[in-house]
Amino acid sequence: MPRGRYSLHDPHDHTPLGEEHFHCAPGPSGWRYVAQRTTPSGDHAGSIDLALDELGRPIRLELTAASWQVRGAALDGVTWVRTDPTGTHATEGNAPAHAFTGTSPAFLVATSRLLNLTPASPSTRVRLVALTDPVLAPRTLDQSWTLLNSEAHATDNGPLTVDEYQVTALDTGEQHTVHLSGDVVLAAPGIELEHLETPPSTFA
């Protein structure tokens, strides 16, 4: 069960946004990621609990930030309920999308798991609902994912396979690179892996 800490910063001006303390693990039904987020000063800033099925689809998402909460799942596309800070006004949403995304590294692992790209079929496009900070406002977007490289690196615990993806925002053409190893993000814009207690889990 990988357990560790990511530091998060603005990918454009590198302003520190805080840290995400996480643990995650594959299970008989898929994969689960649980994390708490803190501000740069160490205050609690939110949480995420994401569970995927064996095909990488989100069967449960609970996301909190700045007193806002979103609960969602893959249902008729993706469906969610967003609750305001007072808890008096809950709004429901639905979009013909494949999954959710956001600033948590969990969403990069989840999307790569969902797409399951291989050297024989290295590229595809995906529609996602982004839950944008700080109020978790939903926005539908389209991305293209391409598996550029998959390379094994020798470590003290045996070979570690690192997958390199190119992610393109189809509305703006902006591109960035994501490096994953199993269910851990090694590097991505705005994300740095600061500490990892155990090696990444590998997906079957």
Side-chain angles (χ1 to χ4, degrees):
M1 178 188 294
R3 182 186 300 269
R5 173 171 51 87
Y6 294 107
S7 64
L8 308 175
H9 56 267
D10 187 295
H12 302 292
D13 63 12
H14 304 291
T15 301
L17 300 177
E19 294 185 333
E20 189 161 301
H21 300 255
F22 73 95
H23 62 272
C24 55
S29 62
W31 180 73
R32 187 178 179 196
Y33 179 101
V34 177
Q36 299 292 324
R37 184 171 287 190
T38 57
T39 66
S41 61
D43 296 328
H44 180 73
S47 63
I48 176 172
D49 187 341
L50 173 64
L52 308 179
D53 67 10
E54 68 277 4
L55 298 178
R57 297 172 298 195
I59 55 177
R60 187 184 73 253
L61 170 66
E62 293 187 10
L63 190 64
T64 64
S67 300
W68 292 86
Q69 181 184 66
V70 170
R71 294 187 177 193
L75 182 68
D76 297 325
V78 293
T79 299
W80 65 91
V81 175
R82 177 173 172 265
T83 305
D84 66 295
T86 65
T88 56
H89 302 288
T91 57
E92 296 185 7
N94 173 267
H98 299 93
F100 296 97
T101 190
T103 55
S104 172
F107 292 116
L108 295 175
V109 176
T111 303
S112 70
R113 178 70 180 138
L114 176 71
L115 301 181
N116 196 26
L117 299 176
T118 65
S121 180
S123 185
T124 192
R125 59 184 294 171
V126 61
R127 174 162 290 180
L128 304 168
V129 171
L131 301 168
T132 54
D133 290 338
V135 296
L136 305 182
R139 180 173 67 94
T140 303
L141 53 84
D142 293 302
Q143 292 179 340
S144 169
W145 278 61
T146 300
L147 178 62
L148 297 178
N149 189 32
S150 185
E151 188 174 0
H153 297 265
T155 71
D156 294 341
N157 298 306
L160 187 72
T161 300
V162 177
D163 297 321
E164 179 184 359
Y165 295 92
Q166 179 176 280
V167 181
T168 303
L170 295 181
D171 56 347
T172 64
E174 183 179 2
Q175 295 182 333
H176 60 268
T177 303
V178 174
H179 291 86
L180 303 178
S181 180
D183 56 359
V184 172
V185 178
L186 301 181
I191 299 169
E192 290 187 26
L193 179 64
E194 298 288 353
H195 176 69
L196 185 64
E197 292 184 9
T198 51
S201 302
T202 56
F203 293 111

